[in-house]
Amino acid sequence: MSLRGTRETRDNCQLFRLTGLLDAFSEPTFRKVLGGKIDEGPKHIILDLSQIDFVDSSGLGALVQLAKQAQTATGTLQIVTNARVTQTVKLVRLEKFLALQPTVDAALENIKSS
């Protein structure tokens, strides 16, 4: 199973709901597609990874790159996680850099307050 998802634009942000695997196989397409969407705008991105089954090191690298790209574009990257994704992010100590959120609503609130 590969990575699949949907895109929704709301007010001043883009919401991507993803399912499947964020791994070395899906990472190049993931980075290319989302990187292009950051450039198009809106600049605030919410990645709903709550239905993701697996994230490997290349997937984490893509998340870091996208967070940096969003910051450079004066936007933000909010990541809605599940227990598995959160554990993987904390394992490599990226939880301070990546804005992890428990729900899409929390991510939306975080964008509104920024």
Side-chain angles (χ1 to χ4, degrees):
M1 179 203 242
S2 156
L3 189 65
R4 286 190 289 262
T6 61
R7 175 180 174 253
E8 177 184 334
T9 304
R10 295 185 179 187
D11 301 327
N12 65 337
C13 73
Q14 298 181 69
L15 170 61
F16 294 89
R17 296 181 191 271
L18 303 175
T19 60
L21 310 174
L22 181 50
D23 58 10
F25 179 74
S26 62
E27 178 269 334
T29 304
F30 168 79
R31 198 165 25 95
K32 181 180 176 187
V33 170
L34 265 76
K37 296 300 181 189
I38 290 172
D39 290 340
E40 287 175 22
K43 306 297 184 198
H44 296 292
I45 306 293
I46 298 173
L47 280 181
D48 183 354
L49 302 184
S50 62
Q51 301 301 310
I52 286 287
D53 297 319
F54 177 76
V55 177
D56 72 2
S57 60
S58 56
L60 289 173
L63 293 175
V64 168
Q65 282 188 314
L66 290 170
K68 288 179 179 179
Q69 183 181 350
Q71 288 172 352
T72 301
T74 64
T76 58
L77 176 68
Q78 307 286 318
I79 302 171
V80 179
T81 66
N82 59 29
R84 187 174 297 135
V85 173
T86 300
Q87 182 181 13
T88 304
V89 169
K90 286 184 173 181
L91 188 67
V92 292
R93 299 187 175 165
L94 284 173
E95 69 272 15
K96 299 265 192 280
F97 181 75
L98 297 173
L100 303 182
Q101 303 297 335
T103 64
V104 170
D105 288 338
L108 287 166
E109 279 303 313
N110 204 25
I111 288 172
K112 286 179 188 172
S113 65
S114 64

